[in-house]
Every structure is written in C-alpha cells, then in structure tokens.
Amino acid sequence: MFQIEIDNGSGFCFGVTTAIQKAEEELAKGNTLYCLGDIVHNGMECERLRQMGLITINHDDMARLHNVKVLLRAHGEPPETYALARRNEIEIIDATCPVVLQLQKKIKRQYEAKNLLPPQEGKESPVGDHRGASIVIFGKKGHAEVLGLVGQTAGNAIVIEHFDDVKQLDFTRDIYLYSQTTKSLDEFHRIIEYIQEHISPAATFKSFDTICRSVANRMPNISQFASRHDLILFVCGRKSSNGRVLFSECLRVNPNTHLIEGPKEISPQWLDGIRTIGICGATSTPKWLMEQCRDAILYQQALLSH
C-alpha cells in the first residue's frame, strides 16, 4: 500500500487565485471575456477555463479588438497595454497581483524621479548625472511580469537572468536593483553582494527586495516535504518559471523526483518498491490537478490488488 501526501503549501498563490476568480465571475454572467496571455502557466487549468468560455489572445489580437472585455492576468502589463485599451475602448478587468502592481509603481517612481535615460553612445555621464544610471531587474527575459516591469522604464531597464549576468554591468554607473517577484531569494542576495563588492566608490547602489514571500517561503517548505518521501511527483506546467525553480529544489533534495503536467504522465515503473509518495506543485498548479494525480495512483493500486 502506498502512502500518498499532497503538499498543503502547494497550489495557486493569492494573485493567481484572484485572477481565476475574476474570470469565473465574469464568465458566469454569460459575458464574452478575453484574457491577454495564458491566465496561468498550466495547460489543464487553461483548458478548463476555455471550456467555460474564456478566450486567450495575444497583444496582436488585442490590437484588433474594440468594445470588448479583456482580463489582465496576475503577471501585470506595461503601460502600452492600458493605452491600447483606451484607444480601442476596451474594458480592462485588471487582475494584476497586488505585489506585482506595487513593484511596477516602485520602478516607475524610481525611473521618473531620476530621469533615468541611457547615456549617449561613446559618451560618459558626469558623476552625479543620473541619466547614466541603470535600473536593473533580476528576472527572466521575455517573462510576462518582467515585460511589464521593463515597460515602466520605457524599455530602458537592464534585465539579468542569472548570477553570472551581473558581471556584465557597468559598475561606474549608479545601479538600482529590483527583482521579479518569483525569483530565488538566495541568488538575489548573491547578486547584491557582488554589486556591493564591485560598485565604484563614486556611484550609488540601492537594492529593493521585491520578491514575494508567499512564493519565496515555499522553497524551504517544499524542500522539507521532498525529503519525507520515497517518490516526489511535481505537478506543473512546463512554461512555469516558478515551477522550474521549485522542481529543481525538490530534485536536489530527492533525486527520485519527476516533473509531470498531469496524471497521464505517471509511469507505473516509478511506483515499484515505493512506500510513500509526495505530490506537490508550483504557484500555478491547481489543487484539483494534484488530487487527480493522487486518484490515478490509487486507481492503479486498486487494479494491481485484484
């Protein structure tokens, strides 16, 4: 007999839960609702909402729409999206996560206060001239949230994805460092330490810890969870940035960890000789999907016992 435990700390974060609730409420009224991008990086949840009537679009699609309702997901959007909505008389249902929204506002205030513009090519900015300063965002290039953050700076922010990227910064300039809300707290602190060690004495460096604690705190919790079981099934859409980080942590703690998108990917061979199974997931993983994976294992177990 298997013992199966579903991680209580896994599942949708507050921002994703709110976005899905807003979509469900609007669809329940019988209204046509568009969503700009996948509402969550989980294919099965997106399909569930599609069957309820949610229509997923991209920015090019939105440019062709007029007088409709468009939901902005938790990741947030750059100012250009809101401007497009006003031009096309589109009603925005804004489900931007409050944590992301506050981060956008901080970056915009910093950019506008310092008038941070890139220096002209071949010319050095004089000391004290903040136009040569850099707003740096630790995040995944091309990620929806990061695009929204960079948009607050008219596209002038520098994005670094990994610790090694920090070495390419110009340390003679002032640096203002922010982070995508779902990035690794440990790696962010390593980046801060490196900049502190290399920044010019004539330049200013300020860092702003903008990592969401409801996400960051999942790392130690999921690490403990993974250590308790013989087998870990990490249920997650393969597009999920947060999911890859948490899955890597599970794999580090427990090498017998498998990433799956749903119950159909569970291999019977994985269950041989296993006594305890832990099922967990990302901030984009619905509880119902983890429960389906549990039920699929129990069904296989029932078949084997007959």
Side-chain angles (χ1 to χ4, degrees):
M1 288 287 290
F2 302 123
Q3 286 186 338
I4 304 174
E5 181 185 7
I6 295 177
D7 177 31
N8 285 331
S10 292
F12 291 152
C13 63
F14 170 79
V16 172
T17 298
T18 302
I20 289 173
Q21 284 177 346
K22 287 188 176 186
E24 289 174 336
E25 287 168 7
E26 197 62 36
L27 293 168
K29 299 173 187 174
N31 296 330
T32 299
L33 180 64
Y34 297 88
C35 181
L36 187 55
D38 290 339
I39 193 168
V40 62
H41 288 151
N42 185 282
M44 295 183 75
E45 178 67 5
C46 287
E47 175 59 21
R48 183 184 75 85
L49 290 166
R50 187 193 68 79
Q51 290 180 4
M52 291 179 65
L54 186 66
I55 304 167
T56 302
I57 59 171
N58 59 32
H59 289 84
D60 289 339
D61 297 327
M62 183 172 170
R64 293 188 288 268
L65 294 173
H66 293 80
N67 302 108
V68 295
K69 291 185 178 183
V70 173
L71 182 138
L72 303 185
R73 56 198 176 160
H75 302 89
E77 284 290 321
E80 292 80 7
T81 300
Y82 294 87
L84 171 62
R86 287 191 294 271
R87 287 196 304 272
N88 288 12
E89 297 184 327
I90 291 171
E91 180 182 339
I92 290 293
I93 297 175
D94 200 338
T96 302
C97 172
V99 178
V100 174
L101 197 58
Q102 286 303 311
L103 174 53
Q104 287 184 349
K105 290 176 180 177
K106 283 182 181 179
I107 291 176
K108 186 175 182 180
R109 281 197 300 268
Q110 184 79 70
Y111 180 73
E112 291 177 346
K114 299 297 184 182
N115 189 25
L116 296 177
L117 299 172
Q120 292 181 2
E121 191 173 343
K123 293 185 179 180
E124 290 187 9
S125 298
V127 174
D129 181 355
H130 290 286
R131 289 177 299 173
S134 302
I135 285 186
V136 179
I137 298 168
F138 172 43
K140 182 183 176 185
K141 292 177 181 176
H143 188 279
E145 180 187 327
V146 174
L147 292 175
L149 300 179
V150 172
Q152 309 305 315
T153 70
N156 289 317
I158 298 168
V159 178
I160 57 173
E161 287 203 49
H162 308 287
F163 171 75
D164 286 343
D165 296 338
V166 73
K167 300 171 185 177
Q168 309 302 318
L169 296 178
D170 183 350
F171 297 105
T172 64
R173 298 195 204 178
D174 293 352
I175 295 175
Y176 301 90
L177 176 69
Y178 297 84
S179 175
Q180 179 182 344
T181 59
T182 54
K183 292 295 280 185
S184 162
L185 196 55
D186 290 341
E187 194 169 6
F188 184 61
H189 286 155
R190 284 183 67 206
I191 289 169
I192 291 172
E193 289 172 7
Y194 188 91
I195 297 174
Q196 287 172 334
E197 291 168 1
H198 292 82
I199 193 81
S200 165
T204 297
F205 170 55
K206 290 184 179 179
S207 62
F208 304 89
D209 184 348
T210 53
I211 293 173
C212 176
R213 286 304 184 271
S214 71
V215 175
N217 290 341
R218 293 192 180 194
M219 189 70 82
N221 293 339
I222 211 163
S223 179
Q224 291 175 9
F225 180 81
S227 69
R228 293 203 300 267
H229 297 285
D230 299 329
L231 168 68
I232 292 294
L233 298 179
F234 190 90
V235 188
C236 174
R238 290 185 170 86
K239 289 182 182 179
S240 173
S241 177
N242 161 258
R244 279 193 291 273
V245 172
L246 292 173
F247 168 69
S248 296
E249 178 63 12
C250 285
L251 193 60
R252 183 188 70 80
V253 173
N254 186 336
N256 196 21
T257 295
H258 299 273
L259 190 151
I260 58 172
E261 291 200 340
K264 291 181 180 178
E265 295 183 14
I266 299 172
S267 170
Q269 285 82 3
W270 297 345
L271 309 178
D272 289 346
I274 296 298
R275 292 173 301 168
T276 66
I277 301 170
I279 300 175
C280 52
T283 57
S284 55
T285 304
K287 272 286 199 305
W288 62 261
L289 186 54
M290 289 185 281
E291 290 168 354
Q292 277 192 359
C293 293
R294 175 201 61 200
D295 294 344
I297 295 170
L298 293 174
Y299 179 70
Q300 286 188 28
Q301 187 179 38
L303 290 178
L304 290 172
S305 63
H306 285 299

